[in-house]
């Protein structure tokens, strides 16, 4: 396997932006859906599952821009200042790594949220197909108790909806997801995109709606440096117009439409760079 497409976290706005960007790239003649592996974290797990579902990119884009069905998304309040305060206190007590992630997991397990069942229904509605795709899809989550990462694949026997829900379980906002007697939280707690998991692939495209909130632990940064040296790597972040379109709260469903449109527009500026890496 040589090509890895890495899709990072960023809420429903991030899903919209990634979808718009991928659609815009396809319009420019750059098809990245032929990746050997897709690595999805949080929002990226949703985008990856949608991308590999067989649904045309144009239709996925239209779901954001021209929705024909009433949305099942739950509007979430994101108190960034409170999150910085809470996670900052945990950072002062724990070094980056499993211990810090486990502390965040304990916080997530006690936080008041909607029920797992209600949240799972949202993820079900997001995914056009609920079966794992034939293309290798890796979905990253974090064990809420141990703080260890868990990478779900079709070989694990875990329903795709549950794996995506686990990867999207933002601590303190959405409930940790129960799988096999364990509880899992957002894979972005490990790294916003977990691009280091693409090590070993020659061509790596990272589409990351947001940057890391937490400082990744040293083993992750070491693997990222190895990846940079051994692979042709390109990372795309939202441009200024896309950042504005995504708004201050990426969990706000209303931001998906403008984010998708901004991502589509941004694709024209990055298509040449992506083509060079992917060809």
């Amino acid at each position: 396997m040589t090509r890895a497409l890495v899709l990072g976290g960023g809420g429903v706005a991030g899903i919209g932006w990634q979808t718009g960007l991928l659609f815009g790239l396809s319009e420019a003649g750059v098809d990245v859906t032929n990746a050997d592996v897709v690595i999805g974290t949080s929002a990226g797990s949703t985008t990856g599952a949608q991308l590999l579902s067989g649904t045309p990119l144009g239709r996925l884009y239209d779901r954001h821009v021209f929705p024909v069905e009433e949305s099942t998304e739950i509007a979430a309040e994101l108190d960034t200042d409170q999150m910085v305060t809470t996670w900052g206190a945990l950072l002062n007590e724990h070094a980056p790594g499993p211990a810090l992630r486990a502390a965040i997991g304990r916080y997530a397990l006690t936080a008041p949220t909607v029920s797992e069942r209600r949240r799972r229904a949202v993820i079900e509605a997001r995914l056009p197909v609920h079966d794992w795709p034939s293309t290798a899809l890796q979905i990253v989550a974090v064990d809420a108790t141990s703080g260890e990462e868990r990478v779900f694949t079709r070989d694990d026997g875990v329903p795709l909806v549950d794996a995506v829900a686990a990867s999207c379980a933002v601590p303190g906002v959405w409930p940790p997801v129960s799988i096999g007697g364990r509880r899992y939280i957002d894979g972005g707690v490990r790294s916003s995109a977990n691009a280091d998991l693409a090590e070993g692939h020659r061509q790596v495209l990272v589409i990351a709606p947001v940057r890391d909130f937490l400082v990744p632990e040293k083993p992750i940064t070491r693997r990222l440096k190895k990846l940079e040296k051994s692979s042709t790597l390109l990372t795309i972040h939202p441009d200024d117009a896309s950042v504005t379109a995504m708004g201050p709260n990426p969990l706000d469903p209303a931001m998906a439409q403008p984010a998708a449109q901004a991502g589509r527009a941004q694709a024209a500026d990055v298509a040449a760079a992506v083509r060079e890496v992917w060809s």
Side-chain angles (χ1 to χ4, degrees), residues 94-183:
H94 305 278
L100 173 59
R101 297 195 290 266
I104 294 173
R106 290 192 292 272
Y107 159 70
L109 289 168
T110 59
T113 66
V114 300
S115 68
E116 280 191 65
R117 182 177 179 180
R118 186 180 175 196
R119 175 61 175 165
R120 191 182 193 278
V122 172
I123 304 301
E124 282 184 333
R126 282 183 185 175
L127 305 186
V129 175
H130 295 167
D131 296 324
W132 285 86
S134 57
T135 298
L137 174 62
Q138 299 180 7
I139 295 178
V140 187
V142 168
D143 189 302
T145 301
S146 70
E148 297 292 340
E149 69 264 20
R150 172 73 186 272
V151 181
F152 294 103
T153 71
R154 64 172 177 260
D155 297 329
D156 293 325
V158 173
L160 177 62
V161 172
D162 290 337
V164 172
S167 187
C168 294
V170 180
V173 179
W174 306 124
V177 174
S178 303
I179 299 175
R182 308 291 295 182
R183 303 288 299 281

Side-chain angles (χ1 to χ4, degrees), residues 80 83-85 87-88 91 188 192 211-215:
T80 305
M83 181 175 288
V84 169
T85 299
W87 290 28
L91 272 169
S192 67
R211 301 176 188 272
D212 277 313
F213 177 74
L214 299 174
V215 177

Side-chain angles (χ1 to χ4, degrees), residues 96-98 100-101 140-142 147-149 187-199 212 214-228:
L100 173 59
R101 297 195 290 266
V140 187
V142 168
E148 297 292 340
E149 69 264 20
V189 173
R190 179 184 185 271
S191 168
S192 67
N194 292 297
D196 63 297
L197 299 179
E199 185 181 357
D212 277 313
L214 299 174
V215 177
E217 60 184 302
K218 289 183 179 179
I220 296 176
T221 57
R222 283 197 295 266
R223 282 192 290 269
L224 284 172
K225 289 180 180 179
K226 287 180 62 177
L227 180 67
E228 292 171 356

